[in-house]
Amino acid sequence: MVAHLLSLKWRLLLNGFRRSPGQIVGIAIGGLYALGVVAALIAVLVALRWADTETAHTAVVLGGAAAILAWAVVPLMASAADMTLDPSRFTTSAIPMRQLLTGLALAGFIGLPGLSTLLVALFTAATWWRSAPAVAGALVGAVLGVLSCVVLSKVVTTATASLAASRRFKDASSIVVFVPLVLMGPIVAGVVGGVSSSTDYLPGLARTVSWTPLGAPWALGGDLASGDAAGAGIKTLISLATLLALFACWNALLKRALVTPRYSGGSGKRGGKLGLFGLLPATPTGAVAARALTYWLRDPRYAAALTVVPLLPVIFLFESGQSGGYSMLMVLGPLTAFVLAWSIAADVSYDNTAFALHLATGVRGIDDRLGRALACLAFALPVVLIFAVGPFFLTGDWGWLPGILGLSLGVLFTGLGLSSIVSARYTSSVPLPGDSPFKKPPGNVAQTLAVQFGGMAVLLVLLLPELVLVIVQSVTGDPLWGWINLAMGALLGVVLFVAGVRIGGRWLDRRGPELFAQLSVHR
Amino acid sequence: MSVQLPDSASTFRVPALALRGLAKRFGGKIAVDGISLDVPAGSFYGVVGPNGAGKTTTLSMATGLLRPDFGTAFIHGVDVWAKPLEAKKLMGILPDGVRLFDRLTGEQLVTYAGLLRGMDREIVAQRVGELLEALDLSGDAGTLVVDYSAGMTKKIALASALIHAPRLLVLDEPFESVDPISAANIRGILDNYVSSGGTVIVSSHVMDLVQRMCDHVAVVAAGRVLAAGTVDEVRDGATLEDRFVQLVGGGNRTKGLEWLRTF
């Protein structure tokens, strides 16, 4: 039975490759990325072979503890836990509990995260290639540690499965997780700064952590290398006890989960609140705009993109604080304009087959395009204006204001116009409605990349006038070019916006059914 | 086959839906193989067929969701593929296996469908209230559709299809996962609609339901129409289910599986 579960998981993984060539390209890119990270970590572990015992011990223990924590937290936060072998699917199969647990635990190793972690962990043996007991300790520790990783992540996902299945939790967690991700740069810089200022702190931390379940398995190699056999013995016991406790927890949780159906919340709410549908004009365009704006707030796939916006100035301010100059802040306006305008380039793909309603009601293409673009513009325009003007209060270099304002407006309007064309003609693979924004979307990754990068290249060409004017101004230093740019950005932008909405609308009228057929492939 | 051509005796009355040589191929598989069919105005028309018979494909092509390889469809004489916007005004459709904008509340979704069709806000508001009341959804009007049960989702989609008072309703599997009380409720609404002159087309593979509910029926299998006409004509004295099995073939495969009797 264990073998069956393993082969099932293997088969599911392989069949994932067989869907389409684009899928293989996407998986290959993901695989290469993982391979790069794994290779780098292995290189570090091998290099640590020549470091002194204390440093090597500190690095391995803290790294391992971080890995265990990551296995517990990431699937929870991303609500993208690997559910290919969801235990609830085996409810009816009457598999003995012990075999189910063993099978699912081992199956956790099949797949990129499992294999990568195992591989890196085993290479701690290279770090402790100093004496036979140390190598043996490192290998035993690696196996215990990686098993703890896998089982802990199963415990966490099983425990929260019924909570995580509720829509509100999913929505909230998938947005919240964006904040640390976006702020990764400043956070890492802060940690690195703190670490370099207190080098004595880490070995002490590692010594403490090595007595906890998080660090114990990873400390075996180091303890044996420095001859602390008693310590290694106790830590082996700690690791084994941890693993047993985790298995017991998982066993209990799984038994309960298999007989308890998932909670899906929601109680009746009477109507009467039309929200934006009551505020915006009662025309097809107004209705589309109301729907799109409602989605920007309610759908985590859109809302996640929105949370990035207020974090952008934080990142830029941080970078400026590091480098000492505020001139980089001027990029904030145009960049925000690009991010927001381009965010509707896959709008119809986000609709998925719900787009059938637009097709069935026979809404004109131009109403559809204009509604979506205006919805985005409604909040993008004030945000971009603030972000374009704001930095000058810090830099004081007001001569650049008209030029930057022109470029920002140009990017925003041109981008919205181009997005209206792109999303009317091409589909991108995006997370399905209701899925986490992080979930690997189904479908052709190669086509998505082609559409996204091709579209951005076209956008760059359309923006050439504004960009040239920025360059001219920086060469001549004459603010007159900035004023010309302001007029150019606003005028050319609006012209291209109108053109984009009209062309996109016409394409939608002509090719609506074909677009819908493309959307129906993934649902 | 009772395919009537426009120049036959029935020209004085334009059919609510006329399919002419509709055909569609997906890759190497021919899903719909030249279907022609007349649905008389004012009829309650059932389309039955086994899984994969091409029911959904045919209805998608008839309603402007899927472009046919050959042939076309007329809604009250308006060519769906030549004048799509005009034809779509005349019909309300409930496609099967299609998502809804489910982050809207039920009330918002139906309002959205009405406003997309360019209707007045007051009329939409009034009709939404009445539709939700009739479909017994007013208690959940403010709940997001994503939190609805499967049956409620079907009902809210039906409300979206009814909001503009269409002359023709095309419903693909409207009773799937709908509980018996809601089903009776929907049938009541549809019966009223037909008796006041509307036309309803439903696809289903529940023969009993079609026999009780519909006055006309077409049996579709492997992308062709095997029989069409009034329910009494088609079933020819037998039950619709027996006649269906006889027409489509298969069935009666009771050989094998002897071990099922030797516990």
Side-chain angles (χ1 to χ4, degrees), chain B residues 24 26 43 47 49 57 98 126 136 139 141 156 178 190 232 245 257:
Chain B
K24 185 75 190 177
F26 294 117
S43 63
V47 177
T57 310
V98 160
Q126 182 206 338
D136 196 22
I156 205 76
V178 174
L190 295 181
D232 290 332
V245 172
L257 300 189

Side-chain angles (χ1 to χ4, degrees), chain B residues 130-191:
Chain B
E130 287 176 21
L131 273 172
L132 292 178
E133 195 65 48
L135 287 164
D136 196 22
L137 285 172
S138 31
D140 290 293
T143 309
L144 297 196
V145 174
V146 67
D147 293 332
Y148 275 11
S149 70
M152 288 159 80
T153 310
K154 273 275 190 233
K155 288 201 282 181
I156 205 76
L158 180 65
S160 311
L162 287 169
I163 183 82
H164 61 298
R167 290 174 69 184
L168 168 70
L169 261 183
V170 183
L171 313 175
D172 197 358
E173 299 283 358
F175 296 102
E176 211 175 41
S177 65
V178 174
D179 66 83
I181 302 198
S182 302
N185 181 356
I186 294 177
R187 276 179 52 196
I189 293 172
L190 295 181
D191 281 337

Side-chain angles (χ1 to χ4, degrees), chain B residues 165-248:
Chain B
R167 290 174 69 184
L168 168 70
L169 261 183
V170 183
L171 313 175
D172 197 358
E173 299 283 358
F175 296 102
E176 211 175 41
S177 65
V178 174
D179 66 83
I181 302 198
S182 302
N185 181 356
I186 294 177
R187 276 179 52 196
I189 293 172
L190 295 181
D191 281 337
N192 272 338
Y193 173 78
V194 170
S195 61
S196 55
T199 313
V200 176
I201 303 171
V202 296
S203 81
S204 179
H205 39 231
V206 185
M207 299 301 149
D208 241 15
L209 190 80
V210 172
Q211 185 176 342
R212 267 183 294 136
M213 193 171 63
C214 300
D215 46 44
H216 287 65
V217 67
V219 180
V220 178
R224 292 162 185 274
V225 177
L226 299 184
T230 65
V231 172
D232 290 332
E233 277 169 25
V234 170
R235 70 191 177 97
D236 202 13
T239 66
L240 187 59
E241 184 155 354
D242 288 343
R243 182 81 180 113
F244 174 80
V245 172
Q246 190 189 338
L247 277 167
V248 174

Side-chain angles (χ1 to χ4, degrees), chain A residues 352-372:
Chain A
N352 203 274
T353 49
F355 181 68
L357 183 65
H358 286 215
L359 210 51
T361 50
V363 58
R364 291 186 309 149
I366 190 162
D367 291 334
D368 172 285
R369 299 289 88 192
L370 195 60
R372 292 172 195 265

Side-chain angles (χ1 to χ4, degrees), chain B residues 85-97:
Chain B
L85 297 192
E86 209 175 307
K88 282 168 184 173
K89 286 201 177 84
L90 299 172
M91 61 180 159
I93 62 179
L94 175 73
D96 185 36

